[in-house]
Amino acid sequence: MKFTLSWLKDHLDTAASVAEIADALTALGLEVEGIDNPADALGAFTIAHVLTATRHPQADKLQVLSVDTGAGTPVQVVCGAPNARAGMKGVFGAPGTFVPGSGITLKVAAIRGVESSGMMCSMRELELGQDHDGIIALPDDAPVGARYVDWAGLNDPVFDIAITPNRQECLGVIGIARDLAAAGVGTLKPRTIPAVAGSFPMPRPIAIEDAEGCPAFAGRVVRGLTNGPSPDWLQRRLRAVGLRPISALVDITNFLSIDSGRPLHVYDVARLTGGLTARRARAGETILALNGKTYTLDETMTVIADDAQVHDIGGIMGGEHSGCSETTTEVLIEAAYFTPERIGATGRTLGINSDARARFERGVDPEFVVPGLELATQLVLDLCGGEASDMIIAGQIPDTSRTIAYRPARVAGLAGLAVAEDDQQAILTRLGFDVERGDPWQVSVPPWRRDVDGEADLVEEVVRIHGLDRVPATPLPRAEGVAAPTATPLQRSQRRLRRALASRGLDEAITWSFLPPAHADAFGGAAFSLANPISADMAAMRPSLLPGLLSAAARNMDRGAASVRLFELGQRYLADAERPTAAILMAGEARGRDWRSGPATRPDALDAKAEALAALAALGAPVQRLQVVAPVDGWWHPGRAGRLVLGKQALADFGIIHPRTSTGFDVKGPVAAVELYLDALPPRSRKREAWTPSPLLPLSRDFAFVVDEHLPADSLIRAVAGADKALITAVNLFDRYAGPGVEAGKISLAVAITLQPTSATLTDAEIEAVSARVVTAAAKLGAVLRG
C-alpha cells in the first residue's frame, strides 16, 4: 500500500516528521517497507526558458536552443524534441546531473559538431510517466531557475507499507490516518459527504439476482460530461503510488479506491443494452477484461451484466466493452458490496489479482456503499461536468453491527500491560468504536473493522495503540536445579534420523504443506482443501511428502544439478489424522562417471531400499525382522518397489516412482524414493545389552539353490536363517544366475551362511547337521540344491 505524505495530511492534521510517522506506523503493525522521495532524484532539475530555437547545421531533426536557466548567461542546448520552440518553458538538467530515466550523467558534449551544455527533459527521462514524444512544456508563469520538484509539488515522500490480511481498513489512506491519530501522531480530520441531488430519474434499471454474492448494488447515471485528462493534482498522486493516469473517469475510481478503500466501476452507458444486473455467471460465458485477457466464467462467479452480455467480474475487474473513452458523454457509476468469500474463490479460479479484489476479498465497509457513490458522483461533476440522476439502491446493505462485552482488566490478564481504563476508552473511541461503560463494558464495532470479533481482539487494539514496546519482558518461572529434558520421544527420534540421513549425503529440504490439487491427485488426492488458499496452486493439503520433493528435484535439475539427494520430515494430512512422516528422494546421477567405475549410474530400487533400512536402523526398528511385500499405492513402479512391514504393520515404502508420476513433475529419468511412517514404528527399547564377542571363530558355508524365478530372494534368506536360529547369525545373498545349466523358468541363488559356535568348536557332524537343516528349510520353498 503506497501513499504520499500530502495525501495522508488530507485526512490527518499532524506536524510529525517523516521519520516519526514511519516509526509510528511500524509500531502500529503497519510495517514500513520503504520511503521514497522523488525530490531526492530530481532535486537538481530546474525550470528554464527557451529564448531561441534554430535548426542544427548538421541534422534536420535537431535544434540548437539558447536556454535561460536563471543562473545568468544563457546556455546552449542541442535538442531533438519536436515540440521544442522559442518562448516555451521546460525542465533543464545541467552538466553533472544524473538523469534517472536514461541512467546517464550529463556532461558538456559536442552533438554533430555543436556543443551542448545540458538537456531539456521529457517525462520519461524524469521517470514521471511514459511520454517521450517531446520535452516537458510548463505554463508561462513557471518561475525560471526554481527547482522543478518544488514548483510541481513533487517534494512529497511516498510511504510503502505492508498490510496484513486482517487490516482491510488500512487499504485506504483514511484508515491509516485513523490509526495514526489513535496513536497520538495527529488528529483525524472530520469528513462530511453531502448527498448529491439528482436532477432526473435514473434511466437504467439496476437489479440483483445473486444476493448471496452481491447483497447491495447502488448506481446512478451522469450525463452531459466530458472525459478528458484528469487535473495535475490527481495525476501526480496516482503516479506517485505507481498508477498510470488514464482519463478523468478512470482516475477518479482509482483515487477513491486508494483514498477511501472503496472500489467503484464506471460504465459507458452508450455501450450498455438495458440495465445492469448482479447475477451468477452462466457456464461458458466469457469476458474480455480491462487487462486485455479473455476469461471463461462458471456458475460459481458473480458478474454484472446487461441484457446482452457480461460487463464486469463482480468486485474483481471490469470488461473492455463497456469501458470509458475520450468520447464518453454518459456514464453509470456502480458502487456495490460483494461477499468476500465469493470474491476470493473467483479470483483464485481465474488467477486475477487486482486492487479491487484485494479490498473486497478482505472486506470493505458495507455502510460506505452509498457515501462512496456520493463521493464519486461529486468528483465526476467537478472534473467532468454534466448532471447526475437520482440514485438507485438494489438489495439490502448487510447489517454488520455487533456489540462485544469487554472487561478492561483483560488487558493486564492477556498482555501483562497496565493501561488505565480512561486510556482504554480513549483508544477505542479514536479507532471508531462506540464504548458504553458498565460491568462489563459494551463496545460497538465500526463497520469497517470486520476483523474484530471478540474481547481478545479489543485487547489487541488497546495494546497495539498503547504500544507493544511497552509490554514488559517477564521471564517464565523456572524450577531450581538442572532443567529436565523437554523433547518428546518423537522429537528425539527425528533428531537421530536427521543426523543419520545427513551423514549419508542427503540434504534436508523443507517444502510447503500446501500443494496444487493436481499434484495431490497424483498421490491419492487431498483429504482436505483450503477454503481461502494463498493461491490456486496451494489449495490442497499434502497427502504425501513426495510431491514437494519431486518439485524441488525438478527445480534443482532445471538449474543444472546433476544429482539430487533430498530428505524431509513433516506431516501428511490424511482423512483420519495428521501423520508424522519422513521422505527420501534420489534423482539424477546416483554415482558420477569415473575411470574406475565407468559411466554414471542412475538410482534404482535397491538404492532406495538401502536408505530405507539405514533410516529404520537409526530409529531403532528391528530391521532383521522386516519383510518386503508389494506396495499398494499406484505411484510406485510395479516390480521395482516394495513395502517394509513388521508383522502386518507397514513401516516404509521404497522403490522407483512410476514414470507416469515423475514425468508429471517434469523430472527426467528414474526417481528412487522412500516414505517412512514414523508413527508406525514400534517403541524403542530402553534396554541395551553389552556386546560380548565370542571367543570362538565363526565359519562360513556357501549354498547355491535352484528356485522358481518368481520366488523373492528375501523368502529364501528368511527360510535359511530360520533353519538354526542359535548357530546361524547371518545369511547373505552373493550371487544370482540364470542361463545355461539352469532350466527355463528357474534361477540360481547363492547364499553365504555364517555359523557362530556358542560353547565349543563345531564338529564336522554338527556342521553337516546344520547344512542338512538348511537344505530342508529351503526345500519347503521348492528350492533344490544346485549340483
Side-chain angles (χ1 to χ4, degrees):
M1 173 69 184
K2 290 184 177 181
F3 59 93
T4 64
L5 179 61
S6 64
W7 202 336
L8 177 68
K9 288 185 176 182
D10 281 354
H11 300 288
L12 184 70
D13 187 0
T14 182
S17 66
V18 171
E20 290 170 338
I21 292 173
D23 290 342
L25 287 170
T26 299
L28 289 168
L30 305 173
E31 183 182 358
V32 177
E33 296 187 323
I35 301 175
D36 179 44
N37 190 347
D40 296 338
L42 304 180
F45 293 90
T46 60
I47 297 175
H49 182 208
V50 180
L51 302 176
T52 63
T54 59
R55 185 183 297 276
H56 191 290
Q58 304 296 330
D60 292 339
K61 293 185 178 181
L62 298 179
Q63 297 187 75
V64 180
L65 311 180
S66 176
V67 178
D68 177 12
T69 65
T73 305
V75 298
Q76 181 173 278
V77 176
V78 176
C79 179
N83 66 331
R85 69 185 189 282
M88 74 176 296
K89 290 184 178 179
V91 180
F92 173 73
T97 302
F98 178 76
V99 183
S102 57
I104 63 172
T105 299
L106 299 176
K107 61 182 179 179
V108 178
I111 301 177
R112 294 287 187 94
V114 177
E115 185 177 274
S116 181
S117 301
M119 172 189 283
M120 298 298 291
C121 301
S122 68
M123 295 290 285
R124 190 168 73 182
E125 286 161 343
L126 299 187
E127 292 188 334
L128 298 177
Q130 296 301 314
D131 186 7
H132 195 57
D133 294 334
I135 59 176
I136 299 171
L138 303 179
D140 293 340
D141 60 354
V144 175
R147 291 206 319 164
Y148 174 65
V149 291
D150 297 329
W151 176 84
L154 297 176
N155 191 4
D156 195 7
V158 179
F159 294 84
D160 186 2
I161 64 174
I163 305 295
T164 53
N166 64 318
R167 299 304 310 280
Q168 65 282 339
E169 84 282 4
C170 290
L171 287 171
V173 179
I174 190 171
I176 298 168
R178 184 184 296 111
D179 254 26
L180 288 168
V185 181
T187 304
L188 187 67
K189 294 180 180 180
R191 179 169 70 168
T192 58
I193 304 174
V196 177
S199 59
F200 60 95
M202 172 69 166
R204 299 283 178 143
I206 287 176
I208 294 177
E209 294 179 0
D210 179 20
E212 181 183 352
C214 179
F217 183 4
R220 75 190 325 165
V221 164
V222 177
R223 68 188 182 190
L225 57 82
T226 301
N227 184 28
S230 55
D232 288 343
W233 68 267
L234 181 51
Q235 292 194 32
R236 283 199 303 270
R237 287 205 167 165
L238 295 180
R239 286 196 185 99
V241 299
L243 295 179
R244 179 174 61 91
I246 297 173
S247 68
L249 290 172
V250 176
D251 294 351
I252 287 169
T253 62
N254 287 334
F255 171 78
L256 289 175
S257 180
I258 296 172
D259 179 79
S260 303
R262 162 38 66 181
L264 304 113
H265 193 64
V266 180
Y267 302 87
D268 188 334
V269 172
R271 302 182 180 185
L272 298 179
T273 303
L276 291 180
T277 302
R279 61 170 174 82
R280 292 285 184 99
R282 302 184 181 100
E285 281 188 312
T286 61
I287 179 173
L288 176 60
L290 288 172
N291 62 2
K293 297 181 180 179
T294 299
Y295 296 95
T296 301
L297 312 174
D298 61 42
E299 301 94 329
T300 66
M301 303 171 183
T302 300
V303 298
I304 306 296
D306 64 7
D307 297 343
Q309 62 181 335
V310 173
H311 289 283
D312 186 288
I313 305 171
I316 296 179
M317 188 170 288
E320 277 198 356
H321 177 74
S322 56
C324 298
S325 66
E326 65 277 1
T327 62
T328 299
T329 59
E330 185 177 7
V331 296
L332 191 158
I333 309 173
E334 165 230 304
Y337 179 80
F338 297 97
T339 306
E341 293 78 9
R342 180 70 58 76
I343 296 296
T346 300
R348 289 189 298 274
T349 300
L350 298 179
I352 302 176
N353 290 308
S354 65
D355 289 341
R357 174 191 168 184
R359 287 162 173 79
F360 279 119
E361 187 174 19
R362 288 166 171 80
V364 301
D365 180 0
E367 294 185 12
F368 201 70
V369 170
V370 172
L373 182 54
E374 299 284 15
L375 275 175
T377 304
Q378 190 60 59
L379 278 171
V380 170
L381 295 176
D382 292 344
L383 302 185
C384 304
E387 58 177 340
S389 74
D390 296 332
M391 183 187 300
I392 290 181
I393 304 174
Q396 187 70 36
I397 293 175
D399 181 9
T400 60
S401 60
R402 57 198 182 280
T403 301
I404 298 173
Y406 177 67
R407 296 163 293 171
R410 292 300 289 157
V411 173
L414 291 178
L417 189 64
V419 183
E421 290 190 4
D422 289 343
D423 292 340
Q424 293 189 43
Q425 181 177 2
I427 288 171
L428 292 173
T429 301
R430 290 196 297 268
L431 286 172
F433 295 87
D434 184 27
V435 180
E436 182 181 338
R437 297 180 70 157
D439 188 20
W441 292 8
Q442 298 298 316
V443 180
S444 298
V445 181
W448 58 81
R449 291 306 301 268
R450 182 171 178 260
D451 58 304
V452 176
D453 195 43
E455 186 179 42
D457 296 322
L458 296 175
V459 171
E460 179 185 356
E461 291 302 294
V462 170
V463 174
R464 185 174 64 86
I465 300 299
H466 187 70
L468 289 168
D469 56 332
R470 298 186 182 184
V471 177
T474 305
L476 293 173
R478 177 176 174 177
E480 294 184 2
V482 179
T486 58
T488 65
L490 177 61
Q491 289 172 332
R492 289 196 295 269
S493 64
Q494 289 180 345
R495 290 175 186 172
R496 287 194 303 273
L497 181 58
R498 282 189 172 93
R499 288 195 294 267
L501 295 179
S503 69
R504 295 180 63 83
L506 293 160
D507 299 313
E508 184 171 9
I510 300 176
T511 66
W512 290 102
S513 298
F514 319 117
L515 300 174
H519 287 187
D521 291 342
F523 286 83
F528 302 99
S529 296
L530 300 184
N532 187 26
I534 298 173
S535 70
D537 285 341
M538 302 183 73
M541 301 296 290
R542 64 184 180 192
S544 168
L545 272 63
L546 294 178
L549 292 181
L550 279 166
S551 296
R555 286 192 297 272
N556 281 274
M557 295 176 74
D558 286 345
R559 287 159 176 78
S563 176
V564 177
R565 293 172 57 83
L566 302 174
F567 77 91
E568 180 176 13
L569 277 65
Q571 300 289 108
R572 291 180 299 142
Y573 300 91
L574 306 182
D576 57 344
E578 294 183 22
R579 299 292 184 184
T581 308
I584 300 169
L585 185 137
M586 297 171 287
E589 297 179 354
R591 285 165 290 278
R593 62 179 181 175
D594 186 83
W595 64 273
R596 293 165 297 178
S597 57
T601 60
R602 299 285 185 175
D604 57 25
L606 296 180
D607 292 323
K609 182 181 180 182
E611 298 298 339
L613 292 175
L616 290 170
L619 293 171
V623 293
Q624 69 281 359
R625 292 165 47 198
L626 300 182
Q627 290 183 291
V628 179
V629 298
V632 298
D633 299 312
W635 54 85
W636 296 105
H637 196 304
R640 300 178 65 185
R643 167 168 285 189
L644 293 170
V645 299
L646 182 63
K648 295 183 178 180
Q649 183 66 56
L651 302 188
D653 285 316
F654 70 90
I656 299 298
I657 299 290
H658 198 292
R660 179 180 60 248
T661 302
S662 57
T663 301
F665 286 81
D666 293 328
V667 180
K668 300 177 179 64
V671 178
V674 177
E675 203 156 37
L676 302 169
Y677 310 122
L678 302 181
D679 57 338
L681 294 172
R684 185 181 175 91
S685 174
R686 292 179 175 269
K687 240 176 119 183
R688 291 188 183 178
E689 297 182 359
W691 179 69
T692 304
S694 174
L696 302 173
L697 293 176
L699 63 149
S700 178
R701 288 293 182 269
D702 296 343
F703 296 84
F705 294 101
V706 176
V707 300
D708 186 271
E709 63 180 352
H710 298 296
L711 178 71
D714 184 68
S715 299
L716 178 64
I717 292 173
R718 290 182 178 279
V720 169
D724 192 323
K725 295 182 179 179
L727 291 177
I728 299 176
T729 57
V731 180
N732 296 311
L733 177 71
F734 67 88
D735 184 56
R736 180 186 185 279
Y737 173 75
V742 177
E743 63 181 288
K746 302 287 186 178
I747 58 173
S748 171
L749 297 179
V751 295
I753 299 175
T754 300
L755 302 176
Q756 177 61 62
T758 55
S759 57
T761 302
L762 295 177
T763 64
D764 290 344
E766 290 171 329
I767 295 172
E768 290 301 325
V770 172
S771 299
R773 289 195 291 273
V774 167
V775 173
T776 301
K780 294 178 181 179
L781 300 177
V784 178
L785 195 64
R786 184 179 173 189

